[in-house]
């Protein structure tokens, strides 16, 4: 069991080529014993983005604050908090 405050996990720049204005906190993943699950918190500045990409596995996004858009294939889909 891992109990922590997200604010206690350091943020780092998103290092994916083409990413701009994005920072990430790696909350859960292999490094802390979660072999099949990852939880990350992204902070995206206004105008920031990650490059167009896809994942060959299940992937979830939960927006805590603000709004934006994600591409579902080539279809833009709006994202809002909650």
């Amino acid at each position: 069991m891992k109990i922590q405050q997200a604010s206690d996990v350091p943020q780092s720049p998103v290092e994916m080529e083409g990413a701009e204005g994005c920072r990430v906190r790696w909350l859960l993943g292999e490094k802390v014993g979660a072999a099949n699950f990852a939880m990350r918190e992204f902070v995206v500045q206004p105008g920031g983005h990650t490059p167009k990409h896809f994942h060959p596995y299940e992937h979830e996004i939960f927006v805590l604050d603000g709004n934006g858009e994600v591409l579902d294939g080539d279809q833009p889909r709006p994202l809002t908090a909650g």
Side-chain angles (χ1 to χ4, degrees):
M1 178 183 303
K2 178 114 176 125
I3 299 173
Q4 67 184 3
Q5 292 290 313
S7 59
D8 291 340
V9 178
Q11 282 187 352
S12 59
V14 173
E15 295 181 357
M16 177 182 264
E17 186 175 337
E20 291 186 31
C22 300
R23 298 188 62 79
V24 63
R25 283 187 170 112
W26 291 84
L27 302 173
L28 294 173
E30 287 185 46
K31 290 183 181 179
V32 294
N36 300 307
F37 182 79
M39 181 184 291
R40 297 164 294 200
E41 176 190 60
F42 287 88
V43 176
V44 183
Q45 297 300 316
H49 58 84
T50 59
K52 186 175 179 179
H53 66 284
F54 72 95
H55 299 276
Y57 49 82
E58 192 174 306
H59 188 78
E60 293 78 23
I61 298 171
F62 186 85
V63 178
L64 298 171
D65 187 37
N67 57 66
E69 101 180 353
V70 65
L71 291 176
D72 183 2
D74 287 327
Q75 180 68 36
R77 308 247 333 245
L79 298 175
T80 59

